[in-house]
Amino acid sequence: MKNYRLIISGGGTGGHIFPAISIANAFKARFPETEILFVGAEDRMEMERVPAAGYKIIGLPVSGFDRAHLLNNFRVIARLGKSLLLAKKTIRDFKPDIAIGVGGYASGPTLWMASALGVPALIQEQNSYAGVTNKLLARKVQKICVAYENMARFFPKDKIVLTGNPVRADLEEARGKREEALAFFGLSPERKTILVVGGSLGARTVNRSVENGLDLLYRSDVQVIWQTGRYYYNEASKRLKAYRGIQVWCSDFITRMDYAYAAADLVISRAGAGSISELCLLGKPVILVPSPNVAEDHQTKNAMALVERDAALMIPDAEAEGRLMKEALATVADEARLRSLSQHILSLAQPHSADRIVDEILKIIKK
């Protein structure tokens, strides 16, 4: 069996890191002797998450351009120069069969240098609106794995393969575990359940919207699983104390996301690419509240790709505090609407994404 060597580069957010680790795990499952080296940005979350998943990582001093303070970009350019040299040395020392980029700051210098040194490369674009780094790299790489249709406006058509975004294996196993999941959260199987998630750090607007809707929730027979994120938990639990008897499970973090999805009749979520891929795979009705604080407003574009197919509802961040809980309660009470949303979002699912990406990697290596 061939001992393959892979470099996987990128990160910055969970939305980039999780697919990267999934691809690594899927490749290792087929070829256990494979050596995999990650290359990340030295001050970003991949420097913790990747070693926790059992992989070695090298950090580059790369950072993003500062559009607000243009003078800071002299430092950014100096860091980019250092990152290119370190990426070059890493590729020469490690001698990979292929370099894989998942988006984020570090993938630019790594894949640029891989191409310059004659190493084949593949990129995985999670969003419906391509990131700057991946657009710049598109000419240099052999294949581009995407999660949405109509990506030829960003990339050369002959390089695109629709694979979807890898999602956590445990989520697919959660199907059909509704009663077990509700028992885990101490909630009733007789009531409808809304799951509220704002990403790993939480989302101020989503949390404020729930707080503003607590009166409505108190008067309804709906229960809620509410993940606040660590910055908002104290405020949320204080507000809940005024509503004795309200059916809300509230925490800063959900350890069993598989159970959270299994319990939910309706989900309220940001519109990150990873979350959307999970919701598609599980066929979960969702109200998306896109984050306005992301590059090129790509979360709104992700959400619109679903809304246009009647596969999700969307409320703009600026309108959420006034509208979100009212619309969520109306939607969760409407059986026909829930069924329709579920069928349409499920039709957009791309199962076994990590394995399909591994197939593409192998085709390039074997060439």
CSV table of all heavy atoms in Angstrom, one decimal, residues 6-45:
chain,number,residue,atom,x,y,z
A,6,LEU,N,0.3,14.2,2.5
A,6,LEU,CA,-0.6,15.3,2.1
A,6,LEU,C,-0.3,16.5,3.0
A,6,LEU,O,0.0,16.4,4.2
A,6,LEU,CB,-2.0,14.9,2.4
A,6,LEU,CG,-2.9,14.1,1.4
A,6,LEU,CD1,-2.2,12.8,1.0
A,6,LEU,CD2,-4.3,13.8,2.0
A,7,ILE,N,-0.3,17.7,2.4
A,7,ILE,CA,-0.4,18.9,3.1
A,7,ILE,C,-1.8,19.5,3.0
A,7,ILE,O,-2.3,19.6,1.9
A,7,ILE,CB,0.7,19.9,2.6
A,7,ILE,CG1,2.1,19.7,3.2
A,7,ILE,CG2,0.3,21.4,2.9
A,7,ILE,CD1,3.1,20.7,2.9
A,8,ILE,N,-2.4,19.8,4.1
A,8,ILE,CA,-3.7,20.5,4.1
A,8,ILE,C,-3.6,21.8,4.8
A,8,ILE,O,-3.0,21.9,5.9
A,8,ILE,CB,-4.7,19.6,4.9
A,8,ILE,CG1,-4.8,18.2,4.3
A,8,ILE,CG2,-6.1,20.3,4.9
A,8,ILE,CD1,-5.8,17.3,5.0
A,9,SER,N,-4.0,22.9,4.1
A,9,SER,CA,-3.7,24.2,4.6
A,9,SER,C,-5.0,25.1,4.6
A,9,SER,O,-5.9,25.0,3.7
A,9,SER,CB,-2.7,24.9,3.7
A,9,SER,OG,-2.4,26.2,4.2
A,10,GLY,N,-5.1,25.9,5.6
A,10,GLY,CA,-6.2,26.9,5.7
A,10,GLY,C,-6.7,26.9,7.2
A,10,GLY,O,-6.1,26.4,8.1
A,11,GLY,N,-7.8,27.6,7.4
A,11,GLY,CA,-8.4,27.7,8.7
A,11,GLY,C,-8.9,29.1,9.0
A,11,GLY,O,-9.3,29.8,8.1
A,12,GLY,N,-8.8,29.5,10.3
A,12,GLY,CA,-9.3,30.8,10.7
A,12,GLY,C,-10.6,30.7,11.4
A,12,GLY,O,-10.8,31.3,12.4
A,13,THR,N,-11.5,29.8,10.9
A,13,THR,CA,-12.8,29.6,11.5
A,13,THR,C,-13.1,28.1,11.5
A,13,THR,O,-12.5,27.4,10.7
A,13,THR,CB,-13.9,30.3,10.8
A,13,THR,OG1,-14.1,29.7,9.5
A,13,THR,CG2,-13.7,31.8,10.6
A,14,GLY,N,-14.1,27.7,12.3
A,14,GLY,CA,-14.5,26.3,12.4
A,14,GLY,C,-15.0,25.9,11.0
A,14,GLY,O,-14.8,24.7,10.6
A,15,GLY,N,-15.6,26.8,10.2
A,15,GLY,CA,-16.1,26.5,8.9
A,15,GLY,C,-15.0,26.0,7.9
A,15,GLY,O,-15.3,25.3,7.0
A,16,HIS,N,-13.8,26.5,8.1
A,16,HIS,CA,-12.7,26.0,7.3
A,16,HIS,C,-12.0,24.8,8.0
A,16,HIS,O,-11.6,23.9,7.3
A,16,HIS,CB,-11.6,27.1,7.2
A,16,HIS,CG,-12.0,28.3,6.4
A,16,HIS,ND1,-12.6,28.2,5.1
A,16,HIS,CD2,-11.9,29.6,6.6
A,16,HIS,CE1,-12.9,29.4,4.7
A,16,HIS,NE2,-12.5,30.3,5.5
A,17,ILE,N,-11.8,24.8,9.3
A,17,ILE,CA,-11.1,23.8,10.0
A,17,ILE,C,-11.8,22.4,9.9
A,17,ILE,O,-11.2,21.4,9.7
A,17,ILE,CB,-10.8,24.2,11.4
A,17,ILE,CG1,-9.9,25.5,11.5
A,17,ILE,CG2,-10.1,23.1,12.2
A,17,ILE,CD1,-10.0,26.2,12.8
A,18,PHE,N,-13.1,22.5,10.2
A,18,PHE,CA,-13.8,21.2,10.3
A,18,PHE,C,-13.7,20.4,8.9
A,18,PHE,O,-13.4,19.2,9.0
A,18,PHE,CB,-15.3,21.3,10.7
A,18,PHE,CG,-15.8,20.0,10.9
A,18,PHE,CD1,-15.5,19.2,12.0
A,18,PHE,CD2,-16.5,19.3,9.9
A,18,PHE,CE1,-15.8,17.9,12.2
A,18,PHE,CE2,-16.9,18.0,10.0
A,18,PHE,CZ,-16.6,17.3,11.2
A,19,PRO,N,-14.0,21.0,7.8
A,19,PRO,CA,-13.8,20.2,6.5
A,19,PRO,C,-12.4,19.7,6.3
A,19,PRO,O,-12.2,18.6,5.9
A,19,PRO,CB,-14.2,21.2,5.4
A,19,PRO,CG,-15.1,22.2,6.1
A,19,PRO,CD,-14.6,22.3,7.5
A,20,ALA,N,-11.4,20.5,6.7
A,20,ALA,CA,-10.0,20.1,6.6
A,20,ALA,C,-9.8,18.8,7.4
A,20,ALA,O,-9.2,17.8,6.9
A,20,ALA,CB,-9.1,21.2,7.1
A,21,ILE,N,-10.2,18.8,8.6
A,21,ILE,CA,-10.0,17.6,9.5
A,21,ILE,C,-10.8,16.4,8.9
A,21,ILE,O,-10.3,15.2,8.9
A,21,ILE,CB,-10.4,17.9,11.0
A,21,ILE,CG1,-9.3,18.9,11.5
A,21,ILE,CG2,-10.4,16.6,11.8
A,21,ILE,CD1,-9.7,19.5,12.9
A,22,SER,N,-12.0,16.7,8.4
A,22,SER,CA,-12.8,15.6,7.9
A,22,SER,C,-12.2,14.9,6.7
A,22,SER,O,-12.2,13.7,6.5
A,22,SER,CB,-14.2,16.1,7.4
A,22,SER,OG,-14.9,16.5,8.5
A,23,ILE,N,-11.6,15.8,5.8
A,23,ILE,CA,-10.9,15.2,4.6
A,23,ILE,C,-9.7,14.4,5.1
A,23,ILE,O,-9.5,13.3,4.6
A,23,ILE,CB,-10.4,16.4,3.7
A,23,ILE,CG1,-11.6,17.1,3.1
A,23,ILE,CG2,-9.5,15.9,2.6
A,23,ILE,CD1,-11.3,18.5,2.5
A,24,ALA,N,-8.9,14.9,6.1
A,24,ALA,CA,-7.8,14.1,6.6
A,24,ALA,C,-8.2,12.8,7.2
A,24,ALA,O,-7.6,11.7,6.9
A,24,ALA,CB,-7.1,14.9,7.7
A,25,ASN,N,-9.3,12.8,8.0
A,25,ASN,CA,-9.8,11.5,8.6
A,25,ASN,C,-10.3,10.6,7.5
A,25,ASN,O,-10.0,9.3,7.6
A,25,ASN,CB,-11.0,11.8,9.5
A,25,ASN,CG,-10.5,12.6,10.8
A,25,ASN,OD1,-9.3,12.6,11.1
A,25,ASN,ND2,-11.5,13.2,11.5
A,26,ALA,N,-11.0,11.1,6.5
A,26,ALA,CA,-11.5,10.2,5.4
A,26,ALA,C,-10.3,9.6,4.6
A,26,ALA,O,-10.4,8.4,4.2
A,26,ALA,CB,-12.4,11.0,4.5
A,27,PHE,N,-9.2,10.3,4.4
A,27,PHE,CA,-8.1,9.8,3.7
A,27,PHE,C,-7.4,8.8,4.5
A,27,PHE,O,-7.0,7.7,4.0
A,27,PHE,CB,-7.1,11.0,3.3
A,27,PHE,CG,-6.3,10.6,2.1
A,27,PHE,CD1,-6.6,11.1,0.8
A,27,PHE,CD2,-5.1,9.8,2.2
A,27,PHE,CE1,-5.9,10.8,-0.3
A,27,PHE,CE2,-4.4,9.5,1.1
A,27,PHE,CZ,-4.7,10.0,-0.2
A,28,LYS,N,-7.2,9.0,5.8
A,28,LYS,CA,-6.6,8.1,6.7
A,28,LYS,C,-7.3,6.8,6.9
A,28,LYS,O,-6.8,5.8,7.1
A,28,LYS,CB,-6.4,8.8,8.1
A,28,LYS,CG,-5.2,9.6,8.3
A,28,LYS,CD,-4.0,8.8,8.7
A,28,LYS,CE,-2.9,9.6,9.4
A,28,LYS,NZ,-1.8,8.8,9.7
A,29,ALA,N,-8.7,6.9,6.8
A,29,ALA,CA,-9.5,5.7,6.9
A,29,ALA,C,-9.2,4.7,5.8
A,29,ALA,O,-9.2,3.5,6.0
A,29,ALA,CB,-11.0,6.1,6.9
A,30,ARG,N,-8.9,5.3,4.6
A,30,ARG,CA,-8.6,4.4,3.5
A,30,ARG,C,-7.1,4.0,3.4
A,30,ARG,O,-6.8,2.9,3.0
A,30,ARG,CB,-8.9,5.2,2.1
A,30,ARG,CG,-10.4,5.2,1.8
A,30,ARG,CD,-10.6,5.5,0.4
A,30,ARG,NE,-11.6,6.4,0.2
A,30,ARG,CZ,-12.0,6.9,-1.0
A,30,ARG,NH1,-11.4,6.6,-2.1
A,30,ARG,NH2,-13.0,7.8,-1.0
A,31,PHE,N,-6.3,5.0,3.8
A,31,PHE,CA,-4.8,4.7,3.7
A,31,PHE,C,-4.2,5.1,5.1
A,31,PHE,O,-3.7,6.2,5.3
A,31,PHE,CB,-4.2,5.6,2.6
A,31,PHE,CG,-4.8,5.3,1.2
A,31,PHE,CD1,-5.8,6.2,0.7
A,31,PHE,CD2,-4.4,4.2,0.5
A,31,PHE,CE1,-6.3,6.0,-0.5
A,31,PHE,CE2,-5.0,4.0,-0.8
A,31,PHE,CZ,-6.0,4.8,-1.3
A,32,PRO,N,-4.2,4.1,6.0
A,32,PRO,CA,-3.8,4.4,7.4
A,32,PRO,C,-2.3,4.9,7.5
A,32,PRO,O,-2.0,5.6,8.5
A,32,PRO,CB,-4.0,3.1,8.2
A,32,PRO,CG,-5.0,2.4,7.3
A,32,PRO,CD,-4.8,2.8,5.9
A,33,GLU,N,-1.5,4.5,6.5
A,33,GLU,CA,-0.1,4.9,6.6
A,33,GLU,C,0.2,6.3,6.1
A,33,GLU,O,1.3,6.8,6.2
A,33,GLU,CB,0.8,3.9,5.8
A,33,GLU,CG,0.7,2.5,6.2
A,33,GLU,CD,1.1,2.3,7.7
A,33,GLU,OE1,2.2,2.7,8.0
A,33,GLU,OE2,0.3,1.7,8.5
A,34,THR,N,-0.8,7.0,5.6
A,34,THR,CA,-0.7,8.3,5.1
A,34,THR,C,-0.1,9.3,6.1
A,34,THR,O,-0.5,9.3,7.3
A,34,THR,CB,-2.0,8.9,4.6
A,34,THR,OG1,-2.5,8.0,3.6
A,34,THR,CG2,-1.9,10.3,4.0
A,35,GLU,N,0.9,10.1,5.7
A,35,GLU,CA,1.4,11.2,6.5
A,35,GLU,C,0.7,12.5,6.1
A,35,GLU,O,0.8,12.9,5.0
A,35,GLU,CB,2.9,11.3,6.4
A,35,GLU,CG,3.6,10.1,7.1
A,35,GLU,CD,5.1,10.2,7.2
A,35,GLU,OE1,5.5,11.3,7.6
A,35,GLU,OE2,5.8,9.3,6.8
A,36,ILE,N,0.1,13.2,7.1
A,36,ILE,CA,-0.6,14.4,6.8
A,36,ILE,C,0.0,15.5,7.7
A,36,ILE,O,0.1,15.4,8.9
A,36,ILE,CB,-2.1,14.3,7.1
A,36,ILE,CG1,-2.7,13.2,6.2
A,36,ILE,CG2,-2.8,15.6,6.9
A,36,ILE,CD1,-4.1,12.8,6.4
A,37,LEU,N,0.3,16.6,7.1
A,37,LEU,CA,0.8,17.8,7.8
A,37,LEU,C,-0.1,19.0,7.5
A,37,LEU,O,-0.4,19.3,6.3
A,37,LEU,CB,2.2,18.2,7.3
A,37,LEU,CG,2.8,19.5,7.8
A,37,LEU,CD1,3.1,19.3,9.3
A,37,LEU,CD2,4.1,19.8,7.1
A,38,PHE,N,-0.6,19.6,8.5
A,38,PHE,CA,-1.5,20.8,8.4
A,38,PHE,C,-0.6,22.1,8.4
A,38,PHE,O,0.4,22.1,9.1
A,38,PHE,CB,-2.5,20.9,9.5
A,38,PHE,CG,-3.7,20.0,9.3
A,38,PHE,CD1,-3.6,18.7,9.5
A,38,PHE,CD2,-4.9,20.6,8.9
A,38,PHE,CE1,-4.7,17.8,9.3
A,38,PHE,CE2,-6.0,19.7,8.7
A,38,PHE,CZ,-5.9,18.4,8.9
A,39,VAL,N,-1.0,23.1,7.6
A,39,VAL,CA,-0.3,24.4,7.7
A,39,VAL,C,-1.4,25.4,8.0
A,39,VAL,O,-2.4,25.6,7.2
A,39,VAL,CB,0.4,24.7,6.4
A,39,VAL,CG1,1.1,26.1,6.5
A,39,VAL,CG2,1.5,23.7,6.1
A,40,GLY,N,-1.3,26.2,9.1
A,40,GLY,CA,-2.3,27.1,9.5
A,40,GLY,C,-1.7,28.5,9.7
A,40,GLY,O,-0.5,28.7,9.4
A,41,ALA,N,-2.5,29.4,10.2
A,41,ALA,CA,-2.1,30.8,10.5
A,41,ALA,C,-1.8,30.7,12.0
A,41,ALA,O,-2.6,30.3,12.8
A,41,ALA,CB,-3.1,31.8,10.2
A,42,GLU,N,-0.6,31.3,12.4
A,42,GLU,CA,-0.1,30.9,13.7
A,42,GLU,C,-0.9,31.4,14.9
A,42,GLU,O,-0.8,30.9,16.0
A,42,GLU,CB,1.4,31.4,13.9
A,42,GLU,CG,1.6,32.9,13.8
A,42,GLU,CD,3.1,33.2,13.8
A,42,GLU,OE1,3.9,32.3,13.6
A,42,GLU,OE2,3.4,34.4,13.9
A,43,ASP,N,-1.7,32.4,14.7
A,43,ASP,CA,-2.5,32.9,15.9
A,43,ASP,C,-4.0,32.6,15.7
A,43,ASP,O,-4.8,33.2,16.4
A,43,ASP,CB,-2.3,34.5,16.0
A,43,ASP,CG,-2.8,35.2,14.7
A,43,ASP,OD1,-3.0,34.5,13.7
A,43,ASP,OD2,-2.9,36.4,14.8
A,44,ARG,N,-4.3,31.6,14.9
A,44,ARG,CA,-5.8,31.3,14.7
A,44,ARG,C,-6.1,30.0,15.3
A,44,ARG,O,-5.3,29.2,15.8
A,44,ARG,CB,-6.1,31.3,13.2
A,44,ARG,CG,-5.7,32.5,12.4
A,44,ARG,CD,-6.5,33.7,12.8
A,44,ARG,NE,-7.9,33.6,12.2
A,44,ARG,CZ,-8.7,34.6,12.1
A,44,ARG,NH1,-8.3,35.9,12.3
A,44,ARG,NH2,-9.9,34.5,11.6
A,45,MET,N,-7.5,29.7,15.4
A,45,MET,CA,-7.9,28.5,16.2
A,45,MET,C,-7.5,27.2,15.7
A,45,MET,O,-7.4,26.2,16.4
A,45,MET,CB,-9.5,28.6,16.3
A,45,MET,CG,-10.2,28.5,14.9
A,45,MET,SD,-12.0,28.3,14.9
A,45,MET,CE,-12.7,28.8,16.3
